[in-house]
Amino acid sequence: MEEIGELSSFQVGLLSAIPAVCSMVAMYSMSHFTDRAPDRRPFLALTLLLSAIGTYLATLGSPWFGLAAITLAGVGSKCAATLFWPMAQSGLDLRIAAPGLALINSIGNLGGFVSPTLSGYLKDTTGSTNGGLSTLSAASLLAVVAARFIRGARASDGPSMEAGAPAAVAPTGK
């Protein structure tokens, strides 16, 4: 933040809160808007695209422009998460929902190791954070393509975890 100017620690803290506050407002708005949508995949693709664009734009321009771009990226990624999890949940049969969601979460948690490691490696080899941000942007674009293949809940798939869906009935053994 030295490039932005003479800012106190408090001012830096306020600036770093901007993406989080904007993301909270956007997540709330997006979830209410998409709850009425029959298919959330287009919205998921749009939010992932916003994340990719924001992350890429953060590599360009001034630090103030970078703050705006990171805010856009944060809004896109947080809104994508609020869209993804209900879709993943409703697309899985009740018999495999818990292990399926655990697998998704485990693979996602690998990103908590791989992303900083790769970003650090790219920064050390290139001397710039642009490589790491560009890689994150590419990952978001790859997720846009993958969002096309997420299947939604269908009545013929058996019990689903949709809100209002009847609970699965245990066999009585008769």
Side-chain angles (χ1 to χ4, degrees):
M1 286 297 215
E2 296 168 2
E3 298 172 12
I4 291 179
E6 298 293 324
L7 297 176
S8 68
S9 296
F10 179 73
Q11 291 169 323
V12 170
L14 288 176
L15 286 177
S16 65
I18 291 172
V21 170
C22 291
S23 295
M24 286 188 311
V25 171
M27 286 169 51
Y28 182 78
S29 302
M30 179 66 77
S31 64
H32 279 287
F33 179 71
T34 59
D35 280 347
R36 295 171 186 85
D39 187 12
R40 293 181 179 168
R41 286 181 296 179
F43 298 104
L44 178 62
L46 177 67
T47 57
L48 288 168
L49 191 60
L50 284 176
S51 178
I53 290 169
T55 306
Y56 178 73
L57 289 176
T59 64
L60 311 171
S62 71
W64 290 106
F65 180 76
L67 177 62
I70 289 296
T71 300
L72 179 66
V75 165
S77 66
K78 296 299 182 184
C79 285
T82 63
L83 293 169
F84 171 76
W85 284 109
M87 289 171 58
Q89 213 172 338
S90 67
L92 293 174
D93 186 276
L94 281 177
R95 295 171 291 224
I96 63 163
L101 293 173
L103 177 64
I104 292 168
N105 196 34
S106 297
I107 292 169
N109 282 336
L110 288 175
F113 170 75
V114 173
S115 180
T117 303
L118 181 61
S119 293
Y121 173 77
L122 291 171
K123 184 177 186 301
D124 288 346
T125 57
T126 65
S128 172
T129 59
N130 290 351
L133 290 171
S134 296
T135 303
L136 285 174
S137 183
S140 289
L141 290 175
L142 183 61
V144 170
V145 173
R148 163 118 171 68
F149 298 106
I150 295 175
R151 72 179 189 138
R154 293 180 213 139
S156 63
D157 287 342
S160 70
M161 297 180 70
E162 288 273 328
V169 178
T172 60
K174 292 183 183 177

